[in-house]
Amino acid sequence: MHDIFKTTLTRQARLSAHVWQRRMVFWGGAVVVGFTAVLFSLGSEYANRLFQRLPGYSPYLPLLVTPLGLTLIVALTRRFFPGSEGSGIPQSMGAIALTNHADRTKVLSLRIACGKIGLTMVGLLVGASVGREGPTVQIGSAIMYSLSRFARFSRLEVERGLILAGGAAGIAAAFNTPLAGIVFAIEELSRSFEERTSGNTMTAVVIAGVVSLGCMGNYSYFGHTSISLPLNLSWMAAVICGLAGGLAGGMFSLILISVAAKGLPGRAGSIMKESPVLFAGICGLLLALIGLASGGHTYGTGYAEARGIIEGTDNLPPSYAIMKMLATLVSYLSGIPGGIFAPSLAIGAGFGDNLAGIMPIAPVSAVVILGMVAYFAGVVQAPITAFVIVMEMTDNHTMILPLMAASFIACAISRRICPKPLYRTMAEGFISRIKSPG
């Protein structure tokens, strides 16, 4: 009896040690993800500012720098960092579905994470219309997954724990929006959120958010807006923005999915398939021409332009939203690493600004924010994540109900145009390309 009791205590002690070891991996990983996201943010903003100086010397310099830059990025991506191209969110989603460790490491490894960071910043340095938030999801997932070697994890814990928590922590730290990180993990990264892993995920999100808060301070990307929408005819703005944003966002997603599945038609499609590095250079030239036509406003993440539109201090052409959408589309199709979160918010703000000119029934800033959330929801088809991110980034809780309305309307319209969600479809493509036989 004494031996049985002693054996039971020993087993419990070992189990407790394993539990605390796993927790330390989660907590330590979340700290690393938080610091990495902060450094990535600072580096990306610095690269973006450096490029903004270029047109000051000559507005035609991007015609040389951007094509050469995109050519170099794609060459390095295909040679040294395959799996790092594009947003990064589909890779994390695909990794959750994969069961083979070797397959997962093709999209989640420290080497790919380093490549994602460096090449995304180079993309911003040469004027690509990309964001760092999607890449931060893949980077966070890769960091957390790489730490699994330091503790004993079951398959479920790896899938629903480390990868999920890393991606959610990346969103929380990238946007400085912890609530959005949790919602994103539930709504987008995993459709079947397990109670068993929810605590670890939420803890990782909170820790990464605290690290970001401690390093960057308590701020919101688009400042503080106290604008509200009275419960009267002005609510039509939420409906109209939802319809327009869903239509535009759904078309954007449909184009990306169609090109990913079938390629471009004609000679352009042949070059894209047979000479991807040359195709990237052509995309760079198109990107520079779009930038030249827009007065240099379509380069980079679009954060400055979106904030200027919200605050009413912008000096953008009426065609800004369309040109930014084209620049983002060209940047993504070029095959470089980079996300569409930040550019989508800027595009939505541009569309909102256009709609505000024909809707005097509502305050301009309110329509801009509604346009932002509607287009974003139309692209990602994750309505809760969309309105939570915009709500936290504008530090405005008085607009929550109209934001919800516009977001859900946009998502419904987008699904009519593009039945398959963008990220989930891209994730299926990654899975089919990297999955080992058997």
Side-chain angles (χ1 to χ4, degrees):
M1 188 69 180
H2 175 72
D3 291 339
I4 295 175
F5 182 69
K6 185 177 180 180
T7 302
T8 302
L9 288 178
T10 302
R11 288 177 178 174
Q12 289 179 344
R14 288 177 180 173
L15 180 61
S16 179
H18 290 318
V19 169
W20 277 103
Q21 189 179 24
R22 289 194 291 268
R23 287 176 179 172
M24 292 303 294
V25 168
F26 269 102
W27 298 345
V31 171
V32 175
V33 171
F35 276 116
T36 302
V38 168
L39 293 174
F40 188 26
S41 171
L42 295 174
S44 298
E45 291 174 5
Y46 182 68
N48 202 24
R49 287 196 301 270
L50 281 180
F51 179 82
Q52 295 300 329
R53 299 177 186 175
L54 200 62
Y57 297 103
S58 171
Y60 301 103
L61 271 177
L63 292 172
L64 175 65
V65 173
T66 305
L68 290 177
L70 263 62
T71 300
L72 175 63
I73 293 170
V74 171
L76 292 174
T77 299
R78 296 180 68 84
R79 177 66 179 86
F80 299 105
F81 307 104
S84 67
E85 64 275 9
S87 164
I89 294 174
Q91 290 93 319
S92 295
M93 293 172 67
I96 293 174
L98 293 169
T99 58
N100 186 287
H101 175 73
D103 291 337
R104 282 204 186 105
T105 55
K106 293 176 183 177
V107 290
L108 296 182
S109 68
L110 293 180
R111 176 178 58 83
I112 289 177
C114 291
K116 195 83 170 185
I117 293 171
L119 295 177
T120 300
M121 288 195 295
V122 174
L124 291 169
L125 186 62
V126 299
S129 178
V130 294
R132 56 176 172 76
E133 294 75 22
T136 307
V137 171
Q138 186 180 9
I139 293 163
S141 295
I143 290 172
M144 294 289 276
Y145 183 67
S146 298
L147 293 175
S148 63
R149 70 188 71 175
F150 297 108
R152 291 167 55 186
F153 288 94
S154 68
R155 173 186 165 188
L156 177 64
E157 286 171 318
V158 169
E159 290 181 351
R160 294 291 185 259
L162 290 170
I163 299 173
L164 195 62
I171 281 289
F175 281 114
N176 202 22
T177 52
L179 179 58
I182 296 171
V183 173
F184 182 75
I186 298 172
E187 186 177 32
E188 190 61 30
L189 289 181
S190 176
R191 300 290 179 176
S192 56
F193 195 62
E194 302 286 345
E195 181 182 356
R196 180 175 174 181
T197 60
S198 61
N200 287 327
T201 300
M202 290 184 184
T203 302
V205 168
V206 170
I207 292 174
V210 169
V211 170
S212 175
L213 186 66
C215 294
M216 305 290 286
N218 187 15
Y219 73 99
S220 57
Y221 274 93
F222 300 131
H224 173 77
T225 59
S226 56
I227 196 72
S228 62
L229 207 63
L231 191 58
N232 52 30
L233 187 62
S234 61
W235 261 70
M236 282 299 297
V239 177
I240 295 172
C241 286
L243 293 172
L247 177 64
M251 288 298 298
F252 180 85
S253 295
L254 184 62
I255 292 171
L256 284 185
I257 291 173
S258 299
V259 173
K262 304 174 184 177
L264 291 170
R267 180 60 178 160
S270 300
I271 297 174
M272 183 180 185
K273 183 178 180 180
E274 298 168 5
S275 305
V277 176
L278 173 61
F279 181 77
I282 296 173
C283 288
L285 180 59
L286 289 174
L287 192 60
L289 290 172
I290 295 170
L292 191 62
S294 70
H297 294 296
T298 56
Y299 298 119
T301 60
Y303 273 134
E305 288 78 10
R307 182 163 188 161
I309 293 172
I310 293 173
E311 295 177 346
T313 59
D314 66 285
N315 187 25
L316 301 175
S319 58
Y320 169 74
I322 295 294
M323 288 194 288
K324 184 64 175 176
M325 183 190 292
L326 290 174
T328 305
L329 184 64
V330 170
S331 297
Y332 198 94
L333 294 180
S334 69
I336 66 173
I340 59 175
F341 265 39
S344 293
L345 291 170
I347 295 166
F351 278 128
D353 195 31
N354 295 145
L355 291 172
I358 60 173
M359 282 194 298
I361 57 175
V364 173
S365 295
V367 179
V368 169
I369 295 173
L370 289 170
M372 184 184 295
V373 75
Y375 179 79
F376 186 62
V379 171
V380 301
Q381 292 188 9
I384 302 176
T385 299
F387 80 75
V388 169
I389 282 180
V390 173
M391 180 188 69
E392 289 192 280
M393 291 184 74
T394 57
D395 194 23
N396 188 332
H397 297 268
T398 60
M399 285 280 292
I400 185 170
L401 291 180
L403 286 175
M404 289 176 65
S407 185
F408 279 103
I409 291 171
C411 188
I413 297 299
S414 177
R415 285 173 180 166
R416 300 287 293 181
I417 298 168
C418 183
K420 302 183 76 174
L422 174 63
Y423 289 137
R424 196 152 296 275
T425 305
M426 295 293 187
E428 291 170 0
F430 273 104
I431 292 171
S432 63
R433 288 198 297 272
I434 68 177
K435 194 170 185 180
S436 300

